Each structure stands twice: as structure tokens, then as C-alpha cells.
């Protein structure tokens, strides 16, 4: 690319890596070449740049695209992370409620979810920020479950590995299958209902829990704690549909189908006022003498969801890799 080339900005709600890869392949150049020109000393594809970029890296991209640095930051999940958690730990290996991709050099261990129908309707197919929100398991516009792998060869979706030869971000990088032709299945009504509720709270910041008004941050914290594996188990039918591949990864490491199955259960739990009250009592740390045995037992069983040590995340990934060899 030369300075005389047109350098298009991001589409609405587009992820940073999607923007970079899309501009490159639609210009007939490799994403690696484009990013090497913008950042000669930074290998962006080896990190999860969609979560955050440093001010210096954002500035370099802003100069290249002739846009404000804010436009670059707006393509990352940093604002969403801060909105969800007040102030996110930038160096944390995983951000609760933001899906993790498991970067390993240029490869990923989890696919980037997408809606085939949205991609089919795009002039230039691109990947949305909200597809990395862990509570988003379906497309509200098209009513279908998000997809994270190729229908033909089952390779995970890795649009950042698209090349000038593939021509766009809508083809499997392993076999060339047109991902817009992926089989679409309706998303579960209850899971979608939870998704809408969470998105509404995420947007407005107004939340209630068992009749009590709470902050957005607190609502997402409590909802995440209910996603403990013993409470939100995948039902037999969904497990069979996944080829019994539900393997107990952290929620943020799971694919859309497994997350959908767990959110369906979570939606039912949120209708259980008694459970919500018990859970919120646990949070208030009432004196031990004032707690019932039932409450103590529930708290004892409730696993900590975060903060997570980097080693713990690696350990979970290692388990996934061991098991995936058996598939
Ligand atoms: Zn869609
Ligand atoms: Zn494929």
C-alpha cells in the first residue's frame, strides 16, 4: 500500500483486527504486510489486540489511516471491559464476560463467532465487537445462533488469517468454504431473552436483582457467579448436539452453543427470586451466626470466578488441548 491509496475507516462496531484484515485483503495485500507497515516493530497478530492497544500503537494506526486515535480505541473492547467491571485489569489473562481466543503466535484456540446472515448482508464482510461479548450467543436481527467454525472442515473461524487470495473475511482460511453459507440454527428463546436483558443493562447501566437496585458492574458480577458449572449445566440434548464436547472450560472460553445452553439455565435462575436473595446475602458477608446452613453451603460451593491467575488459564487451555486430541 502507498500513501496515495484510499485507507477506509472501520465499519460501525467493527473489531480492530477485522478492520485491519478487511482493509488489507480488499486492497489486494496481506494483513501481515499492512500491519508491518503500520507497526514495523510490533507483531499485532500474536496478541489479542481487540481487547486493547497501547496509546502509542493506536497513534501509529491513527496516523496511517488519518483518523483520530479515539477511532482506533473505539474498535477495541477496552471501553466495554471498563463498563462491565468499573476498571479492568489490563494485564489480566481473561476479562470476565469477554470471550477469550487463546492466542498462540498467529493461531487461535477458539474461533471468532459470527452471524452468517450478517456477513452475507455486508458489502465487505466484517466482525462486530458485540460478537465477543460472552453473553451474546445469537444474532437478534436474524434470530440465529452465532457460529465459530467452518461447516465443511470444522476449522475455527480465524478471519485475521485471511489473505489477498481469499479476497474477503467470509471464507474459511483452511478450506475456502464460504462462511456465509453456514448452516443457520435458531437461537434458543430463553438464552436470547437473557442476552437482551444483559445487553440492555450493559447499555443503560440500570439493573435490578431480586427487587433490589444494583449497579451494572454488580449485576454482571452476580450473574457471572451463577454461571458456576454445578448450577448452569448443559442439558443432555445440547450436549449431544455438541458431540458431548462440553468440557468445562471457563465460560469465556466456550463456544456459542455451549454458552447458549448455560445461559438458558441462567435465565431460569434469574427468575428464582429466593435464590437471588440468598446469593446477594452471601455477597453482603452477613455475620456467620446470622447465616443459615443452607446459605453457608451455597457459598462454600460457589467457586471464585475471578481474578484469575495467568497460570490457571493456561492450565484450563492445556486440559482443552489434551481432550481435543480425542475428538
Ligand atoms: Zn445476523
Ligand atoms: Zn473450512
Amino acid at each position: 500500500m502507498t500513501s496515495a491509496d484510499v485507507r477506509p475507516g472501520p465499519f460501525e462496531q467493527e473489531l480492530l483486527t477485522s478492520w485491519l484484515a478487511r482493509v488489507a485483503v480488499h486492497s489486494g495485500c496481506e494483513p501481515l504486510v499492512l500491519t508491518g507497515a503500520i507497526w514495523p516493530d510490533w507483531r499485532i497478530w500474536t496478541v489479542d489486540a481487540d481487547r486493547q492497544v497501547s496509546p502509542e500503537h493506536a497513534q501509529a494506526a491513527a496516523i496511517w489511516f488519518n483518523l483520530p486515535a479515539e477511532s482506533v480505541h473505539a474498535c477495541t473492547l477496552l471501553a466495554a471491559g471498563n463498563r462491565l467491571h468499573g476498571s479492568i485489569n489490563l494485564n489480566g489473562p481473561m476479562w470476565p464476560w469477554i470471550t477469550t481466543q487463546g492466542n498462540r503466535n498467529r493461531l487461535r484456540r477458539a474461533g471468532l463467532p459470527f452471524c452468517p446472515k450478517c456477513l452475507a448482508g455486508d458489502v465487505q464482510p466484517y466482525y462486530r465487537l458485540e460478537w465477543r461479548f460472552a453473553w451474546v450467543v445469537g444474532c437478534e436481527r436474524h434470530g440465529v445462533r452465532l457460529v465459530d467454525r467452518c461447516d465443511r472442515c470444522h476449522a475455527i473461524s480465524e478471519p485475521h488469517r485471511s489473505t489477498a487470495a481469499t479476497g474477503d473475511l467470509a471464507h474459511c482460511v483452511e478450506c475456502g468454504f464460504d462462511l456465509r453459507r453456514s448452516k443457520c440454527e435458531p437461537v434458543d428463546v430463553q438464552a436470547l431473552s437473557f442476552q437482551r436483558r444483559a445487553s440492555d443493562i450493559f447499555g443503560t447501566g440500570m439493573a435490578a436483582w431480586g427487587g433490589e437496585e444494583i449497579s451494572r458492574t454488580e449485576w454482571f458480577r452476580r450473574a457471572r457467579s451463577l454461571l458456576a458449572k454445578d448450577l448452569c449445566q448443559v442439558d443432555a440434548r445440547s450436549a449431544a448436539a455438541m458431540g458431548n464436547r462440553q468440557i468445562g472450560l471457563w465460560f469465556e472460553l466456550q463456544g456459542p452453543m455451549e454458552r447458549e445452553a448455560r445461559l438458558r439455565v441462567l435465565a431460569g435462575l434469574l427468575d428464582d427470586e429466593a435464590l437471588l436473595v440468598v446469593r446477594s446475602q452471601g455477597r453482603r458477608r452477613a455475620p456467620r451466626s446470622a447465616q443459615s446452613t443452607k446459605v453457608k453451603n451455597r457459598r462454600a460451593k460457589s467457586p471464585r470466578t475471578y481474578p484469575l491467575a495467568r497460570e490457571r488459564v493456561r492450565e484450563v487451555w492445556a486440559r482443552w488441548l489434551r481432550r481435543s486430541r480425542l475428538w
Side-chain angles (χ1 to χ4, degrees):
M1 288 184 124
T2 69
S3 58
D5 293 328
V6 175
R7 293 170 179 177
F11 287 140
E12 189 180 352
Q13 291 292 301
E14 185 170 19
L15 284 164
L16 177 64
T17 55
S18 168
W19 173 28
L20 295 168
R22 178 178 59 79
V23 169
V25 300
H26 283 273
S27 304
C29 112
E30 306 298 331
L32 272 174
V33 173
L34 171 63
T35 55
I38 300 173
W39 300 288
D41 301 319
W42 186 41
R43 297 172 68 211
I44 182 176
W45 303 112
T46 64
V47 300
D48 188 356
D50 286 329
R51 286 206 297 182
Q52 59 168 329
V53 286
S54 69
E56 296 74 27
H57 290 143
Q59 187 58 33
I63 291 170
W64 178 268
F65 285 100
N66 195 23
L67 289 169
E70 291 72 41
S71 300
V72 180
H73 287 298
C75 294
T76 72
L77 295 154
L78 181 59
N82 283 330
R83 188 182 272 205
L84 286 168
H85 305 298
S87 179
I88 197 79
N89 173 12
L90 297 179
N91 298 317
M94 191 174 82
W95 296 356
W97 289 113
I98 299 291
T99 61
T100 296
Q101 295 200 279
N103 294 44
R104 193 181 185 190
N105 294 319
R106 286 189 64 222
L107 301 177
R108 305 285 183 266
R109 287 160 174 163
L112 183 58
F114 62 91
C115 166
K117 290 177 184 278
C118 280
L119 292 187
D122 293 337
V123 176
Q124 291 183 358
Y126 72 100
Y127 291 69
R128 280 74 163 165
L129 277 164
E130 68 168 20
W131 291 343
R132 283 203 58 185
F133 297 163
W135 70 89
V136 173
V137 292
C139 173
E140 293 180 24
R141 188 164 159 232
H142 295 110
V144 299
R145 183 190 302 130
L146 299 185
V147 177
D148 68 345
R149 59 183 61 229
C150 171
D151 260 2
R152 186 198 279 161
C153 75
H154 305 295
I156 57 171
S157 154
E158 293 181 289
H160 71 284
R161 290 178 58 214
S162 300
T163 63
T166 62
D168 60 32
L169 305 190
H171 287 80
C172 170
V173 296
E174 294 293 342
C175 75
F177 177 72
D178 188 340
L179 300 171
R180 292 167 292 197
R181 293 172 54 212
S182 303
K183 188 173 154 201
C184 290
E185 293 185 336
V187 62
D188 178 80
V189 174
Q190 276 185 289
L192 192 61
S193 145
F194 175 86
Q195 175 178 318
R196 287 202 173 101
R197 184 172 178 177
S199 293
D200 191 46
I201 291 168
F202 177 76
T204 65
M206 296 166 63
W209 189 274
E212 172 195 5
E213 271 190 36
I214 58 173
S215 69
R216 166 174 45 214
T217 302
E218 182 62 11
W219 188 88
F220 275 98
R221 194 201 65 76
R222 291 184 187 183
R224 182 65 184 79
S225 75
L226 285 179
L227 278 168
K229 276 176 281 184
D230 57 333
L231 282 174
C232 294
Q233 292 188 357
V234 175
D235 61 275
R237 195 173 53 121
S238 300
M242 289 187 283
N244 291 304
R245 289 182 299 184
Q246 54 141 330
I247 46 180
L249 295 174
W250 295 102
F251 183 68
E252 289 75 9
L253 304 172
Q254 296 168 7
M257 188 183 273
E258 185 169 356
R259 280 186 281 121
E260 177 195 54
R262 296 191 193 281
L263 291 184
R264 181 169 59 228
V265 181
L266 178 57
L269 292 180
L270 289 181
D271 291 334
D272 184 346
E273 295 272 327
L275 175 67
L276 297 187
V277 170
V278 167
R279 287 267 153 178
S280 55
Q281 279 176 347
R283 174 62 180 165
R284 285 194 199 111
R285 295 181 183 279
R288 294 183 74 84
S289 57
Q291 293 179 15
S292 70
T293 309
K294 191 176 176 186
V295 172
K296 285 179 192 168
N297 286 343
R298 281 187 188 278
R299 291 192 63 195
K301 281 182 190 170
S302 173
R304 291 185 58 172
T305 51
Y306 52 89
L308 286 175
R310 193 174 297 278
E311 292 68 30
R312 181 76 185 103
V313 175
R314 285 196 184 128
E315 186 186 307
V316 175
W317 274 120
R319 193 166 76 234
W320 180 83
L321 285 172
R322 278 199 302 276
R323 295 190 184 188
S324 64
R325 290 195 194 103
L326 302 175
W327 293 359

